[in-house]
Amino acid sequence: MDMGEILSELNREGSITVASGSPEETFALGKMLGGQSRAGTVFTLTGDLGAGKTVFAQGFAAGLGIGEPVNSPTFTILQVYEGGRLPFYHFDVYRIADVEEMDEIGYEDCFYGEGVCLIEWADMIEEILPESRIRITITKDPERGFDHRSISVKREK
């Protein structure tokens, strides 16, 4: 399935699951979704450690036209990139102790602003996520090989 077919299926059905056989394929899917994203869209990203969330986020940023290096902002919770066609708010809430910490960084300005949000470990802040979002889940598929992933993309509301 090529990227155009993936996007078509997502728009038609509201969800799709894609097999990725390599980090490059995971990057490409992220890039396609980043390239198609619109201001005010929130993407949630979940998956085990080492599942490929950062590779996906790097592709997503590339799709937005961001040329600078993108890494997981684990110790800062939020990294803002403004060099692309839209501001990119990259959250990693893995180390958040209490959802109230999100208030301190002004999450609402990002969730409901003029940019695009990608939130890694989003299940940890489920209670403050907007109802309308795109949920991405990356699952390792060891039966198919070390680099194989199953990537589920689902439009919520």
Side-chain angles (χ1 to χ4, degrees), residues 22-87:
S22 68
E24 293 79 16
E25 289 179 11
T26 299
F27 182 96
L29 179 61
K31 185 174 182 178
M32 186 269 302
L33 288 173
Q36 297 295 319
S37 63
R38 297 183 182 146
T41 306
V42 173
F43 291 82
T44 64
L45 183 57
T46 57
D48 292 337
L49 285 170
K53 294 182 299 297
T54 299
V55 169
F56 182 92
Q58 290 167 339
F60 192 92
L64 287 168
I66 294 166
E68 64 186 283
V70 172
N71 294 306
S72 188
T74 300
F75 294 102
T76 58
I77 299 175
L78 170 65
Q79 185 69 39
V80 179
Y81 301 93
E82 296 184 340
R85 66 178 178 81
L86 295 168

Side-chain angles (χ1 to χ4, degrees), residues 35-140:
Q36 297 295 319
S37 63
R38 297 183 182 146
T41 306
V42 173
F43 291 82
T44 64
L45 183 57
T46 57
D48 292 337
L49 285 170
K53 294 182 299 297
T54 299
V55 169
F56 182 92
Q58 290 167 339
F60 192 92
L64 287 168
I66 294 166
E68 64 186 283
V70 172
N71 294 306
S72 188
T74 300
F75 294 102
T76 58
I77 299 175
L78 170 65
Q79 185 69 39
V80 179
Y81 301 93
E82 296 184 340
R85 66 178 178 81
L86 295 168
F88 175 41
Y89 306 112
H90 183 199
F91 289 85
D92 183 328
V93 296
Y94 181 75
R95 297 197 188 282
I96 201 165
D98 189 307
V99 77
E100 290 176 3
E101 289 179 49
M102 294 295 288
D103 289 328
E104 296 170 17
I105 59 173
Y107 79 91
E108 288 181 328
D109 292 338
C110 299
F111 285 14
Y112 306 104
E114 296 300 314
V116 177
C117 291
L118 181 68
I119 308 163
E120 294 188 42
W121 299 98
D123 50 331
M124 298 181 77
I125 59 166
E126 188 76 33
E127 62 265 32
I128 64 169
L129 292 173
E131 286 184 23
S132 177
R133 62 185 180 260
I134 297 175
R135 181 184 306 268
I136 301 159
T137 306
I138 303 176
T139 308
K140 295 178 185 179

